[in-house]
């Protein structure tokens, strides 16, 4: 097994989360008050970023810090597609109010119940 460095893993994760939002590097840079070329370096794992910079990126992406470290080593294509779909869903709801998220969760529960009953 090939070991990948933490900066590369986190950089790849930041890229995935950014793309799930449909953002360019420039948009993430603007949201995090960083330069777009710096974001590129972070995503490629070329930058050894500080916790303060990591916090700026987390806040801009509107995700929990834990999400940056949710990496899957040796994931197959199905697992990667699953993670991408989950990221896109999280991206859609991350900017919603708590009330809206609770409403979405209730609707999802009803949909899952209908799917499970159909099986």
């Amino acid at each position: 097994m090939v070991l990948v460095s933490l900066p590369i893993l986190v950089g790849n994760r930041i890229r995935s989360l950014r793309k799930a939002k449909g953002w360019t590097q420039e948009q993430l840079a603007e949201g995090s008050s960083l330069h777009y070329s710096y974001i590129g370096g972070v995503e490629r794992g070329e930058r050894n970023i500080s916790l303060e910079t990591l916090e700026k990126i987390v806040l801009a992406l509107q995700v929990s810090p834990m999400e940056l470290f949710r990496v899957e080593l040796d994931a197959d294509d199905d697992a990667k597609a699953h993670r991408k779909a989950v990221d896109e869903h999280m991206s859609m709801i991350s900017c919603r109010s708590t009330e809206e998220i609770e409403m979405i969760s209730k609707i999802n529960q009803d949909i899952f119940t209908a799917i499970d009953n159909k099986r």
Side-chain angles (χ1 to χ4, degrees):
M1 180 171 100
V2 176
L3 293 178
V4 180
S5 73
L6 188 57
I8 290 173
L9 290 172
V10 172
N12 287 338
R13 186 72 179 127
I14 289 170
R15 179 183 296 115
S16 294
L17 292 168
R18 173 182 60 76
K19 287 184 173 186
K21 284 191 164 297
W23 287 1
T24 63
Q25 287 180 343
E26 290 82 4
Q27 289 169 307
L28 177 55
E30 183 178 320
S32 58
S33 301
L34 298 167
H35 193 271
Y36 72 89
S37 65
Y38 187 84
I39 294 294
V42 168
E43 288 184 356
R44 290 187 300 276
E46 298 170 353
R47 300 283 185 161
N48 187 15
I49 62 177
S50 68
L51 291 175
E52 288 84 7
T53 300
L54 201 58
E55 181 178 41
K56 288 178 182 183
I57 293 170
V58 164
L59 292 172
L61 290 170
Q62 298 177 324
V63 297
S64 72
M66 186 173 74
E67 279 304 311
L68 293 186
F69 300 98
R70 194 179 304 270
V71 297
E72 297 172 19
L73 301 175
D74 299 329
D76 61 16
D77 288 342
D78 193 43
K80 289 176 185 175
H82 182 267
R83 171 51 53 199
K84 182 180 179 197
V86 169
D87 288 347
E88 289 172 356
H89 183 75
M90 286 182 51
S91 177
M92 285 187 285
I93 67 169
S94 67
C95 60
R96 299 294 181 164
S97 70
T98 301
E99 182 180 328
E100 291 171 328
I101 293 171
E102 288 170 351
M103 188 182 318
I104 292 166
S105 292
K106 173 66 174 120
I107 292 167
N108 284 341
Q109 288 171 354
D110 292 345
I111 292 169
F112 295 145
T113 298
I115 291 170
D116 291 344
N117 288 338
K118 193 170 184 173
R119 289 184 184 172

